[in-house]
């Protein structure tokens, strides 16, 4: 039976519909803003030496096999500075204003022209007007307008590129290549003569590394979103895993939650290694059938609008850690907790790693797994932290400061045949979280997925549609 509504109640019931109408958008609209990219270009120009030009190329489409290409992935520096997700494009940033093709300014973008017959196959190309409108850039041209005479380098002392040696512009894209980027690269290469040629100490890569090491608020929002999506995937695996499942089925559960939440793709190939495969640091084949008593190490994270998280959890396939697994797991957990305590502004970025090394060295010695400190690398062969952002391995500042985002990921890996008691064999444990340095300390962006033995075992008992 329906109840008659008072006008006020009717209005209140209508509010959610209003909100929904406002939010409903056919396509995502939470990308980095044009103002963000403009701000980053200004920051680059600010750091450039006098009389220089910085050149940034979009990525090329890469062939996979026969006439099938890999899904396009934009060059991250180019994306940071423009937001544009198309190939065959080039950005020039001049320190001082110049005139290019009748337009005076410091920023010039060359993009793909519209092409209706191609767009019918591979989707919309924005073209000059589309790029101007979407990314609020003034001086946009098509790449075929880039000619030897279009760009005047006479007032430029030095050319800075994101590539690394003087004539690598043409080498990198293949001398003689007929695609638009190769042509533009060759034109630039031939226009740059004598001491204008870029060299390793004057590449713009150093400037980009410095800037990208400290994240802007808009970037932190996207990394936090990627981390939160990732933890949802990890939690679903914790709940859904069971003996008799394959590593790729665990991967399927994980990645379903990434895609479900709008992540375009995983930030890196998903690592789902069980038993002896937990000890392979970048195991990606994910083909094994998991058995009772195995551990599963899942190093998987989502990428969201260009920004990647990086999260690892290690869980028992049957829902309960064995006594030996629990001992190693809790040692890694203690190392991670000790490392967290050193995540603060002003500390050197390797302090968390040093703390993890101290804890794991002491623990493995006490367990009789190693006899000397030098043996630590046998079982803990990697660093504890790397920067995180547009790249899953992003620049990290030497000294931690507000806005730095990096991983804390200690691990212990004991493959079969190791020179220690057999009871430790096939135990590989890594616990990895994404840390943001704040004014008051740090924030764990991936805290949404449990880390303690008790919490993981509790989550394993929860209902899941996968078991
Ligand atoms: Mn990592």
């Amino acid at each position: 039976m329906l109840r008659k509504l008072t006008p006020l109640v009717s209005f209140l019931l209508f509010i959610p519909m209003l909100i929904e109408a406002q939010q409903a958008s056919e396509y995502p609209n939470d990308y980095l803003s044009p103002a963000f990219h403009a701000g980053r270009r200004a920051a680059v120009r600010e750091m450039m030496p006098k009389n220089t030009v910085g050149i940034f190329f979009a990525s090329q489409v890469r062939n996979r096999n026969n006439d099938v290409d890999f899904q396009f992935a934009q060059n991250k520096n180019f994306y940071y500075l423009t937001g544009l997700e198309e190939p065959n494009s080039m950005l020039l940033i001049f320190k001082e204003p110049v005139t290019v093709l009748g337009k005076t300014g410091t920023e010039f973008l060359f993009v793909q022209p519209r092409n209706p017959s191609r767009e019918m196959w591979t989707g919309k190309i924005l073209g000059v007007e589309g790029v101007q409108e979407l990314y609020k850039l003034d001086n946009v041209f098509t790449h075929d307008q880039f000619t030897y005479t279009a760009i005047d380098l006479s007032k430029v002392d030095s050319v800075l590129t994101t590539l690394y040696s003087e004539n690598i512009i043409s080498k990198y894209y293949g001398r003689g290549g007929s695609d638009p980027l190769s042509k533009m690269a060759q034109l630039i290469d031939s226009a740059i003569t004598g001491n204008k040629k870029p060299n390793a100490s004057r590449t713009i890569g150093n400037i980009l590394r410095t800037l990208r090491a400290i994240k802007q608020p808009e970037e932190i929002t996207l990394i936090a979103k990627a981390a939160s999506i990732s933890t949802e995937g990890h939690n679903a695996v914790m709940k859904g895993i069971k003996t008799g499942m394959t590593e790729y089925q665990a991967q399927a559960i994980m990645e379903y939650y990434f895609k479900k939440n709008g992540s375009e793709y995983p930030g890196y190939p998903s690592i789902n290694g069980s038993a002896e495969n937990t000890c392979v640091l970048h195991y990606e084949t994910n083909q094994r059938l998991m058995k009772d008593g195995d551990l599963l190490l899942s190093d998987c994270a989502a990428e969201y609008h260009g920004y990647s998280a990086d999260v690892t959890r290690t869980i028992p396939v049957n829902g309960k850690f064995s006594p030996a697994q629990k001992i190693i797991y809790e040692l890694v957990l203690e190392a991670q907790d000790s490392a967290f305590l050193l995540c603060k502004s002003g500390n050197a970025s390797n302090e968390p790693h040093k703390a993890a090394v101290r804890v794991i060295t002491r623990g493995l010695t006490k367990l009789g797994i190693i006899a000397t400190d030098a043996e630590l690398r046998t079982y803990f062969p990697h660093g504890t932290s790397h920067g995180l952002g547009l790249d899953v391995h992003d620049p990290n500042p030497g000294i931690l400061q507000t806005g730095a985002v990096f991983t804390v990921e200690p691990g212990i890996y004991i493959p079969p045949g190791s020179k220690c008691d057999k009871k430790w064999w096939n135990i590989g444990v890594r616990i990895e979280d994404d840390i943001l340095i704040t004014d008051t300390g740090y924030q764990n962006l991936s805290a949404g997925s449990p880390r303690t033995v008790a919490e993981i075992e509790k989550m394993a008992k929860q209902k899941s549609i996968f078991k």
Side-chain angles (χ1 to χ4, degrees), residues 299 310 386 392-393 407 409 432:
D299 184 343
D310 191 3
H386 57 79
V392 68
H393 295 159
T407 64
E409 48 173 320
E432 175 173 35

Side-chain angles (χ1 to χ4, degrees), residues 274-279 293-295 314 321-332 362-371 378-379 412-429:
S274 61
E276 70 268 21
N277 299 330
T278 59
C279 304
D294 289 345
L295 280 180
T314 307
F321 287 90
S322 74
Q325 288 167 352
K326 182 167 183 255
I327 288 167
I328 299 298
Y329 186 90
E330 291 193 324
L331 183 53
V332 177
R362 196 177 58 220
L364 290 181
T365 307
K366 210 169 139 199
L367 293 169
I369 295 174
I370 61 173
T378 311
Y379 300 108
I412 297 175
Y413 314 90
I414 313 178
S418 296
K419 289 177 191 150
C420 63
D421 193 319
K422 267 186 165 176
K423 72 176 174 184
W424 308 115
W425 290 5
N426 295 323
I427 298 179
V429 174

Side-chain angles (χ1 to χ4, degrees), residues 432-452:
E432 175 173 35
D433 283 274
D434 302 340
I435 300 301
L436 164 69
I437 297 294
T438 64
D439 290 335
T440 53
Y442 74 89
Q443 190 190 342
N444 182 353
L445 302 176
S446 46
S449 188
R451 299 186 299 121
T452 69

Side-chain angles (χ1 to χ4, degrees), residues 16 19 38 42 46 71 76 93 121 203 227 232 295 331 404 425 466:
I19 293 170
E46 177 77 31
Q71 189 171 3
K76 295 294 192 176
I93 301 180
W121 289 90
T203 63
E232 198 178 315
L295 280 180
L331 183 53
W425 290 5
F466 301 107

